[in-house]
Amino acid sequence: MTDSSELYEITGELGNIPEGLDLVVGLTGFTDAGGAVAQLGEYILENLSNRVIAEFDADALLDYRARRPVIYFDQDHLTGYQPPVLRLYLVQDELNQPFLFLNGFEPDFRWEAFTKSVIDIIGLLKIKTTTSVHAIPMPVPHTRPIRVTVSGNRLELIDALSVWKPHTQVPANAMHLVEFRLQELAHPVAGFALLIPHYLADTEFPLAALASLESISAATGLIFPTDKLREEGRVFLSKIDEQVGTNGDLEKLVGTLEERHDAYMQGTPLKSPLTDEDGELPSADEIAEELEKFLAIRRAGDDDAGPPLGL
């Protein structure tokens, strides 16, 4: 077996990184409902002071044919190749508290070696806690706060924040394996799965990014600038509410999701907020049709944002 250290290269100075930092992880891959992780990475790296300290080998970990990189065709020649990256950053939050951020593509290959690499880095930098975030589509309403399911061994977070605790098999992602191995080592680890309205799964939903940041704050105490995301979220929801308000059938469907959500949150015997007593999921066809125009909505540009601080 190849040495797991061959999967990454240290590219920055490690001597001035304090011990006991939190590691935050956001990988894009199998599912990223509402563009939560993609927005999270973009928001952190554009709005917070950061520098790269390690980079993973994309050629060893990525299936290029499954997730093809983008290259620009300029009339008669190729320019602007954008290779995928998976990097570890040293970042400072809004109060200049340092933390580590592993962000980029989810590995397609060599999950065990990747997991060992992450564990090696955790030991090398004496990381205090590891927190990961991903987002999955669920039949829940956009008119209610985004809820989370929490896994790992940090019981205080699970007890306080996890609203859905199923007994079920799920398709694993790479960070599930990392989390599983870290649990075996008794390293403090928490995985947040954001429950995103399924009819908004293919949009860039600003409140999904906000929920990611809030989950990380709950786990680590880090503070993030969120005013812009909150405003973008208000604008996004107002457009959806306007569309819902003009269609009685759509309004009824959203109302059904609200009733099931609220009944579950009030402690009814429903097994989850996602199904009725017969275990049936509500159809999303009409919702998707009515909101099709919003599937291409993207967050407003960052033209009005100030330059990130230098680290």
Side-chain angles (χ1 to χ4, degrees):
M1 179 180 294
T2 304
D3 186 347
S4 63
S5 64
E6 294 183 7
L7 291 183
Y8 66 92
E9 178 184 3
I10 301 297
T11 60
E13 175 59 44
L14 302 184
N16 60 352
I17 298 177
E19 297 180 0
L21 297 186
D22 296 296
L23 172 62
V24 175
V25 184
L27 305 182
T28 58
F30 174 66
T31 179
D32 186 20
V37 175
Q39 292 181 89
L40 171 69
E42 178 183 342
Y43 204 76
I44 286 179
L45 298 179
E46 290 188 1
N47 291 278
L48 297 176
S49 174
N50 67 86
R51 64 179 176 90
V52 178
I53 62 173
E55 181 161 357
F56 282 81
D57 184 359
D59 279 353
L61 297 174
L62 184 69
D63 183 350
Y64 284 91
R65 292 192 299 174
R67 288 185 281 177
R68 294 183 182 273
V70 174
I71 195 167
Y72 185 72
F73 191 93
D74 187 3
Q75 296 187 355
D76 58 2
H77 63 285
L78 299 174
T79 65
Y81 175 60
Q82 300 178 25
V85 296
L86 175 55
R87 292 170 173 163
L88 180 66
Y89 302 84
L90 176 64
V91 188
Q92 289 182 341
D93 75 353
E94 195 169 27
L95 299 182
N96 295 321
Q97 300 178 98
F99 68 98
L100 296 164
F101 183 42
L102 179 60
N103 180 240
F105 63 84
E106 176 193 6
D108 293 304
F109 305 121
R110 304 190 61 191
W111 279 17
E112 289 286 1
F114 169 72
T115 295
K116 188 175 187 306
S117 295
V118 174
I119 292 174
D120 288 346
I121 290 172
I122 287 172
L124 175 66
L125 299 178
K126 295 180 170 56
I127 289 169
K128 179 175 62 176
T129 69
T130 299
T131 302
S132 66
V133 178
H134 72 288
I136 56 178
M138 288 288 181
V140 293
H142 70 275
T143 53
R144 299 295 184 267
I146 294 175
R147 309 290 183 177
V148 297
T149 289
V150 188
S151 58
N153 56 15
R154 297 189 59 185
L155 298 182
E156 77 281 7
L157 295 174
I158 295 171
D159 291 342
L161 300 174
S162 190
V163 300
W164 186 44
K165 303 175 182 179
H167 295 275
T168 186
Q169 292 182 321
V170 297
N173 61 47
M175 278 310 298
H176 283 144
L177 179 57
V178 174
E179 178 183 319
F180 182 76
R181 298 299 185 211
L182 290 176
Q183 285 182 162
E184 293 179 328
L185 297 173
H187 172 81
V189 59
F192 287 85
L194 279 59
L195 310 180
I196 305 298
H198 59 318
Y199 50 91
L200 299 179
D202 293 330
T203 72
E204 283 194 3
F205 186 18
L207 294 185
L210 178 62
S212 298
L213 291 171
E214 291 177 339
S215 297
I216 294 166
S217 292
T220 64
L222 296 167
I223 305 298
F224 301 100
T226 59
D227 288 348
K228 187 180 180 191
L229 279 177
R230 293 180 191 280
E231 179 57 28
E232 290 174 354
R234 284 190 288 268
V235 172
F236 188 96
L237 289 182
S238 68
K239 293 178 180 179
I240 294 177
D241 289 338
E242 180 180 355
Q243 190 73 10
V244 170
T246 61
N247 186 300
D249 292 337
L250 179 57
E251 192 170 21
K252 181 178 179 180
L253 287 173
V254 173
T256 298
L257 295 177
E258 291 175 334
E259 291 173 2
R260 289 174 177 166
H261 174 278
D262 294 347
Y264 177 77
M265 295 304 295
Q266 291 169 9
T268 69
L270 292 177
K271 294 183 179 179
S272 86
L274 315 177
T275 61
D276 59 19
E277 288 85 347
D278 297 323
E280 297 296 325
L281 293 174
S283 171
D285 290 345
E286 290 184 83
I287 293 178
E289 181 179 351
E290 293 294 335
L291 295 177
E292 185 176 5
K293 66 177 64 178
F294 295 113
L295 297 183
I297 289 177
R298 293 296 182 264
R299 293 192 305 112
D302 290 326
D303 295 340
D304 58 334
L309 299 175
L311 189 63

